[in-house]
Amino acid sequence: MTYFPEEVVEHIFSFLPLHSDRNTVSLVCRVWYEVERLSRRAVFVGNCYAVRPERLVQRFPNVRTLTVKGKPHFADFNLVPPDWGGYAGPWIDAAARSCMGLEELRMKRMVVLDENLELLARSFPRFKALVLISCEGFSTDGLAAIASHCKLLRELDLQENDVDDHGPRWLSCFPDSCTSLVSLNFACIKGEVNPGALERLVARSPNLRSLRLNRSVSVDTLSKILVRTPNLEDLGTGNLTDESESYLRLSSALEKCKMLRSLSGFWDASPICVPFIYPLCHHLTGLNLSYTPTLDYSDLTKMISRCVKLQRLWVLDCISDKGLQVVASSCKDLQELRVFPSDFYVAGYSVVTEEGLVAISSGCPKLSSLLYFCHQMTNEALITVAKNCPNFIRFRLCILEPKKPDAITNQPLDEGFGAIVRECKGLRRLSISGLLTDKVFMDIGKYGKQLEMLSIAFAGDSDKGMMHVMNGCKNLRKLEIRDSPFSDVALLGNVAKYETMRSLWMSGCNVTLKGCQVLATKMPMLNVEIMNELDESSEMEENHGDPSRVDKLYVYRTTAGARNDAPDFVKIL
Amino acid sequence: METVVGDLMATELRLGLPGTVDDMKAAAPSTPRGKKRTTAADPVDDSAAADDEATKQRDAEAAPPAAKAPVVGWPPVRSYRKSCFQASSKPQSKPATKEEVSTTAAAAPSAAANATAGSSFVKVSMEGAPYLRKVDLRMYKGYRELREALEAMFVSSNNGGGANLSEFAVTYEDKDGDLMLVGDVPFEMFTSTCKKLRIMKRSEATGLGSARQ
């Protein structure tokens, strides 16, 4: 193989789709390392602090697509204090210096500033796609810079970001010469956009396939836009609160979009709009109604019962168990279901229980991905679900009240979750909830051989629980634990394991400063980050070796050493 | 010590919905363990006992029954989603939730009630109209605004100009299920007791007395 010219080796490598495979071939010999690194087009960085940006861009100077993830997952639920880190700046700076050919940047849970976006916009002449998910720190001014300077922009996809609104100007910054847009998603922008500017932009974007509008866009504007986008495949509507005549116009515009397969938005949707969506339903493969508390069970089921080809459904729990039965009998191709709570209080008015889930499992055998917020669950139901749907890849169940037992037998839910891990041999992601003892972790360790990510909350009795997981789950990459009785014993029970994992998060557990220090000493290739309340930090300094409990612990493997951008409340051991 | 903190949290005046603890306060609820540290300033001889104690305390805190102060970051719903809901409106006020809320935010009941209901959508039916509409009663400052909104919604779409509800009586169904004429009670009282609106032809409304509007 080493006698082949490098171009041939490079060509062979181009058939390796997985990052992990490319990483592996680069270890074979010096020549392969060089060929691989110079021909690498896509790099995925799962933890922005695992490697130095400068090092990465020097190794892969010809990279075209860069994906970087920042804060730990529990940051989504306000468990990571603000200003913790995850800054996009160093990555964009490094790429601007070394990777002229960058075309796509995808970032998740990072802090992106306007000045970073401005640098991005000016540094990469072939830049085509920007995807920001759950990021913060930037405003519409940064978007204006992207719009103004990225001449070949194809994709601007903003998902659930916290964006400061500085007015509608940004949308008008797309020059008249910009005709390359394929995907535009600004659903998370809070403010108004100029309808005329939007219509003109759409009119000059013949390749537009995906368009997600924000709440400010009216039905009328939507109707005018849709007339221009007959090839649209994915649509996120604006608000649907208008008078009924507007819906007639919308209906005739929608009829022209024969390729439409995916719908979302439905902001403040009035039930009036529902019948006008009917003609689309038959072709839909994706439907997201999870931001629409204004549609009740009967509106939802009228729509969904017509969506016979649906593969992906996101709804609120006001659909109720009855509604889920309708889903089960109508949507035989369903692969992904997410049922979100419409009321965030634990004791809230939730009308979705184990019955809805059982109905779905028996009607939709192809179900492989589930996120289900419910008021109660039973072991019997989970066992039935496991038998009906052995193909689960992602199973996330959130019983709203922490530590709630089986609703009928009052027993822990160990048996039920045990059945899930046992039957679903391909399970890669699991979130557990309800009353759980160490027993469930025995099953997870024993059967969760493909498990890559595990989320634990208010569960377990003793360190044995966590040990079962650490010793048993061979493919575990991310472990996140909150408010569970695991101590230093569990933390230190299998320290070598952390080198094979991306990260560990523990908050509200029983680990102490001493235990964390031992871990940091034994494993120098890990960053052991401790976060306590601000007023405690000085106390931490004085009480070295004090068995004082650590509030939040974040451990991750890294080649970059301790990071230098950590705020005061983060201590890196 | 922890229960005092919990009670203080419960009566704290805030602008956000009860149950949505923002970042600044996220530190505070997790201080039960911090509090444990400060109260344990006296050295404890047997550190194992202290750990046991702490575990029990933690378990007690970690399993909050529904009525107590909400747990930080629970249920695990993204802040983006929560903020969308605060901006949007809920379809109808939920009595159970309101009661829960008034016990946990006793210091500011009306603020809490407003924040929880946020808005109260009620169905509006009109005789002869093919489908119902929904209006958010909290959007209107008084009866006149409500009437104008109803006129805009129902009457102008049917007739030409000069649309008004003079041929119709606007009635509502209250908490007890009784059919009442709109306009008799103060607007605030009306919005809290109204469950449904019905616009009926004046001829049907005989016996209800003359409408003041």
Side-chain angles (χ1 to χ4, degrees), chain A residues 75-80 82 108-109 133-134 160-161 187-188 215 241-245 267-268 270-272 275-276 288 290-294 296 314 316 340-349 373 398-403 433 457-458 482-485 508-510 532-533 536 539 547-552, chain B residues 17-24 26-28 30-31 33-38 47 50-51 54-55 58-67 70-92 94 96-97 100-101 115-116 121 123 131-134 152-154 157:
Chain A
D76 284 352
F77 318 128
N78 295 338
L79 287 177
V80 176
K108 186 169 183 180
R109 278 188 215 103
I133 306 174
S134 295
E160 303 195 346
N161 301 293
C188 64
R215 209 175 213 142
T241 56
D242 282 10
E243 304 303 321
S244 29
E245 310 96 71
W267 302 104
D268 307 311
S270 149
I272 299 285
F276 297 100
N288 183 351
S290 67
Y291 288 100
T292 315
T294 43
D296 63 16
W314 292 22
L316 290 172
F340 292 96
S342 48
D343 194 328
F344 303 121
Y345 313 129
V346 165
Y349 181 58
F373 286 84
C398 178
I399 301 162
L400 290 166
E401 188 185 318
K403 294 196 170 190
S433 59
F458 307 103
R482 66 165 293 179
D483 297 285
S484 300
C509 300
N510 294 347
N532 287 326
E533 301 91 46
E536 302 288 327
E539 200 180 308
S548 41
R549 196 161 301 110
V550 161
D551 224 25
K552 295 175 190 189
Chain B
L17 286 174
T20 57
V21 184
D22 64 23
D23 284 339
M24 279 309 294
S30 53
T31 50
R33 276 170 290 291
K35 291 292 174 198
K36 172 68 189 151
R37 266 196 285 275
T38 55
S47 55
D51 281 347
T55 315
R58 176 182 321 287
D59 285 344
E61 291 150 21
V71 179
V72 176
W74 194 265
V77 172
R78 278 191 184 163
S79 353
Y80 171 81
R81 180 170 287 279
K82 282 186 178 162
S83 65
C84 283
F85 275 66
Q86 282 164 23
S88 124
S89 328
K90 296 209 174 145
Q92 53 203 6
K94 294 167 183 156
T97 317
E100 227 73 50
V101 164
T116 321
F121 272 107
K123 288 185 184 170
Y131 24 54
L132 282 61
R133 301 296 300 268
K134 266 190 174 162
M153 217 179 248
F154 282 93
S157 49

Side-chain angles (χ1 to χ4, degrees), chain A residues 89-282:
Chain A
W91 290 90
I92 296 177
D93 289 346
R97 266 178 265 124
S98 310
C99 304
M100 287 293 105
L102 191 70
E103 294 180 7
E104 294 182 20
L105 181 65
R106 292 159 202 278
M107 297 193 140
K108 186 169 183 180
R109 278 188 215 103
M110 296 194 73
V111 177
V112 184
L113 306 176
D114 283 344
E115 62 206 54
N116 305 144
L117 293 175
E118 275 152 32
L119 181 62
L120 175 69
R122 290 176 201 279
S123 303
F124 308 106
R126 290 207 290 274
F127 196 75
K128 293 194 176 74
L130 178 64
V131 179
L132 297 176
I133 306 174
S134 295
C135 295
E136 54 170 350
F138 61 103
S139 76
T140 47
D141 291 343
L143 300 179
I146 298 287
S148 307
H149 301 293
C150 299
K151 307 260 180 286
L152 300 175
L153 196 69
R154 286 211 293 244
E155 190 178 338
L156 179 60
D157 187 1
L158 306 168
Q159 298 180 30
E160 303 195 346
N161 301 293
D162 185 11
V163 187
D164 276 340
D165 189 68
H166 290 179
R169 170 184 83 91
W170 68 277
L171 194 66
S172 311
C173 288
F174 284 101
D176 289 342
S177 53
C178 174
T179 58
S180 47
L181 275 179
V182 173
S183 170
L184 176 63
N185 172 5
F186 62 92
C188 64
I189 300 298
K190 296 170 225 177
E192 306 269 320
V193 291
N194 183 319
L198 179 60
E199 287 165 42
R200 286 189 295 278
L201 178 62
V202 171
R204 63 179 187 275
S205 305
N207 299 318
L208 204 60
R209 294 285 173 275
S210 169
L211 179 64
R212 296 191 183 188
L213 310 170
N214 76 351
R215 209 175 213 142
S216 75
V217 178
S218 68
V219 177
D220 268 346
T221 306
L222 177 60
S223 307
K224 289 187 195 140
I225 287 172
L226 288 175
V227 172
R228 306 285 200 164
T229 56
N231 295 325
L232 204 65
E233 292 166 12
D234 166 55
L235 173 67
T237 72
N239 70 70
L240 295 178
T241 56
D242 282 10
E243 304 303 321
S244 29
E245 310 96 71
S246 309
Y247 291 103
L248 293 167
R249 281 194 286 278
L250 177 65
S251 189
S252 61
L254 280 171
E255 258 169 45
K256 298 192 171 53
C257 298
K258 304 261 181 252
M259 308 294 295
L260 208 49
R261 294 290 172 267
S262 166
L263 270 189
S264 60
F266 288 89
W267 302 104
D268 307 311
S270 149
I272 299 285
C273 76
V274 169
F276 297 100
I277 309 292
Y278 290 165
L280 289 178
C281 290
H282 184 79

Side-chain angles (χ1 to χ4, degrees), chain B residues 144-167:
Chain B
R144 184 146 62 104
E145 272 187 35
L146 175 61
R147 190 177 196 83
E148 279 163 7
L150 291 175
E151 278 170 0
M153 217 179 248
F154 282 93
V155 187
S156 49
S157 49
N158 294 334
N159 314 338
N164 59 51
L165 285 171
S166 52
E167 301 152 66

